[in-house]
Amino acid sequence: MKVFVFDLVPYSANLEHLKDGQELPYPLSGKHFDPTVAATTYEEHLEAWEELDRLGYDGVGFNEHHCSPYGLMNSPNLLAAAATQRTKRLKLLIYGNLLPLHEPLRLAEELAMLDCMSQGRLISGFARGIPREYQVHNVPLPDSRARFEEAHEILLRAWQEEIFSYEGKFWQYKDVSIWPRPFQQPHPPIWMPITGSRESIEFAGRHNIPITPGVASRGLREDVIRLYAQCLAQNGHQITPDHLSIPANVYVADSKEQAIRETGPHYLYFNRTLFSHGNITETNLQRAGGYVSQNSNDYIRPENLGEAARSRQDYRGLTQEVMEKQAQAMPWGSADEVAAKLIESAEHAGANTVLVSLNRGVMPHDMFMNQIRRFAKEVLPILQAHEIRTSRALEAVPA
């Protein structure tokens, strides 16, 4: 198995005191921003990534968000550029650039630069983003999917064709040849995060793109994987363990009780304050805004539709009691328990890659570094020695 650490790079000062009831104000005024905190945040996370490289992790993942302390990775490509100079072997998973919001030729050039700077260590994640981002960048939500698909085509052509022209609805180019070109040929690996919409799953299957089903429940993950496998097959591809990666929030301690005590407050802060800041998570509201289609969830079994609804209140109203109940099924606790739960989840999904979050919320830097080192010593060798060959998720859902 391959192990990546997924890092949201949150603003490292706790801002819960700024909440009005259950809400952190949006937009959050710049008067609350401290540049020294941001500078420290970037330096600490780059130091953490150096440690991942030194200790033998397979990769680091980070993404793109805007105008929120949820994450200070407005330009993941800038972070990746810094990481190319601070690491030697670590894969750099940009998960991912938000294709509908940016000029795709510029993205093609920047990603080719990064692939050359890292000597082929780039994994290029393509994502649509969340509704908040569209408000910030003044892009209509109903245009999201069409812009994503058009930008995807432009990037592939820019990377693969010596000279190309393109005439689309949103972008047009004539006689373009990008320099530099990608280090990896024909282009860097492309991955897609999937939150559950039918159209995204079908797109990934059509183009044979590996996915990360970023869904909470096992049943919903089964539904996503089943549809994805069907879409791959319809387009002449067969699902393999390298088509799938799964996310997991992890904490290694001496016991489950110690893990809850130590990481629980950071997990609560992430869910209550950061996760849905200024954003619409509910599928029905996203559908009403044109971000997802009326049929986006029609493949999901009835018993899993509640999980697919993604209610903000489930995050903002998370209690200590509910968190402790959730923790019983999570890979929090002793190294043996963490390893066993991660392997069992990966076996069930048929995923040969896990994306572990070791620092949800605003965990102090020394605590994050301790988790990196403890996981590397006690859990990482067990996972990297294990190989996933089949998927029980496909067997669990009748065809």
Side-chain angles (χ1 to χ4, degrees):
M1 291 171 60
K2 296 180 178 65
V3 180
F4 285 61
V5 171
F6 190 70
D7 190 353
L8 291 171
V9 195
Y11 183 77
S12 59
N14 191 305
L15 301 176
E16 191 155 11
H17 62 284
L18 299 178
K19 288 169 70 172
D20 181 6
Q22 287 190 317
E23 300 282 347
L24 189 65
Y26 186 84
L28 188 61
S29 172
K31 69 182 179 182
H32 301 299
F33 176 79
D34 184 343
T36 61
V37 171
T40 299
T41 298
Y42 291 127
E43 178 54 35
E44 288 179 345
H45 285 264
L46 286 168
E47 180 187 340
W49 299 356
E50 285 185 277
E51 192 73 348
L52 297 177
D53 190 49
R54 188 181 72 81
L55 293 176
Y57 287 84
D58 294 284
V60 62
F62 41 98
N63 61 3
E64 175 184 338
H65 284 297
H66 299 273
C67 300
S68 175
Y70 175 86
L72 299 186
M73 55 288 201
N74 314 69
S75 172
N77 299 342
L78 280 178
L79 279 176
T84 65
Q85 305 305 297
R86 302 276 289 261
T87 60
K88 300 296 183 185
R89 51 163 298 280
L90 202 67
K91 294 286 187 181
L92 304 174
L93 169 61
I94 302 178
Y95 219 16
N97 276 290
L98 307 184
L99 299 194
L101 304 185
H102 305 300
E103 202 275 317
L105 185 62
R106 178 63 180 259
L107 286 180
E109 293 176 317
E110 289 185 1
L111 291 167
M113 288 176 63
L114 287 169
D115 204 34
C116 290
M117 291 172 68
S118 66
Q119 298 185 46
R121 291 188 284 130
L122 176 68
I123 300 175
S124 182
F126 290 163
R128 289 172 61 211
I130 58 178
R132 180 184 69 219
E133 261 83 62
Y134 289 77
Q135 175 188 346
V136 169
H137 287 274
N138 198 30
V139 172
L141 279 175
D143 289 346
S144 170
R145 192 166 300 282
R147 289 173 68 95
F148 178 92
E149 295 189 6
E150 190 169 303
H152 173 265
E153 182 178 353
I154 291 166
L155 272 104
L156 289 183
R157 293 188 60 183
W159 284 339
Q160 296 178 104
E161 297 181 19
E162 293 183 8
I163 300 174
F164 84 101
S165 297
Y166 185 86
E167 187 71 26
K169 178 180 178 181
F170 303 104
W171 296 284
Q172 299 80 38
Y173 306 99
K174 184 173 175 58
D175 296 336
V176 176
S177 179
I178 65 167
W179 284 63
R181 308 190 71 78
F183 189 91
Q184 301 174 85
Q185 291 296 315
H187 55 75
I190 297 170
W191 291 8
M192 275 182 63
I194 298 290
T195 57
S197 68
R198 168 182 279 278
E199 294 81 6
S200 293
I201 297 167
E202 290 175 339
F203 182 88
R206 190 159 61 247
H207 293 278
N208 197 27
I209 298 174
I211 68 168
T212 302
V215 293
S217 75
R218 175 163 294 196
L220 184 54
R221 182 179 290 169
E222 289 172 353
D223 291 341
V224 170
I225 293 172
R226 179 194 178 200
L227 177 60
Y228 176 56
Q230 291 172 347
C231 294
L232 284 169
Q234 289 165 4
N235 290 276
H237 311 294
Q238 183 176 358
I239 193 168
T240 71
D242 290 330
H243 277 89
L244 293 164
S245 56
I246 57 170
N249 179 233
V250 172
Y251 192 84
V252 185
D254 295 335
S255 66
K256 178 77 73 176
E257 293 72 25
Q258 182 187 12
I260 292 171
R261 185 171 62 253
E262 292 180 356
T263 198
H266 306 293
Y267 182 76
L268 287 172
Y269 175 71
F270 172 81
N271 281 273
R272 291 171 172 174
T273 305
L274 294 181
F275 179 71
S276 58
H277 178 229
N279 187 46
I280 300 169
T281 62
E282 291 87 348
T283 303
N284 65 319
L285 297 178
Q286 293 181 358
R287 187 175 294 118
Y291 183 68
V292 296
S293 74
Q294 295 299 316
N295 301 321
S296 62
N297 288 352
D298 65 0
Y299 70 95
I300 296 173
R301 288 172 290 171
E303 62 268 29
N304 298 324
L305 286 171
E307 287 289 341
R310 296 169 60 83
S311 169
R312 274 171 288 178
Q313 188 55 33
D314 291 343
Y315 305 102
R316 294 172 179 172
L318 185 65
T319 65
Q320 177 76 20
E321 182 181 11
V322 171
M323 182 267 290
E324 290 178 3
K325 184 177 179 180
Q326 291 177 353
Q328 301 310 309
M330 294 169 62
W332 290 7
S334 69
D336 288 344
E337 179 179 3
V338 168
K341 284 189 180 297
L342 290 174
I343 288 173
E344 198 280 330
S345 293
E347 289 278 8
H348 179 265
N352 209 40
T353 301
V354 291
L355 310 179
V356 297
S357 293
L358 298 175
N359 63 331
R360 279 292 162 95
V362 287
M363 183 180 287
H365 182 56
D366 59 350
M367 194 173 175
F368 180 26
M369 295 294 285
N370 179 66
Q371 279 299 297
I372 289 172
R373 292 163 182 150
R374 186 165 185 178
F375 187 97
K377 180 179 179 181
E378 301 177 29
V379 181
L380 186 63
I382 300 173
L383 299 185
Q384 290 180 331
H386 191 89
E387 184 178 2
I388 307 297
R389 294 185 173 88
T390 60
S391 170
R392 298 204 308 274
L394 293 177
E395 301 166 0
V397 183

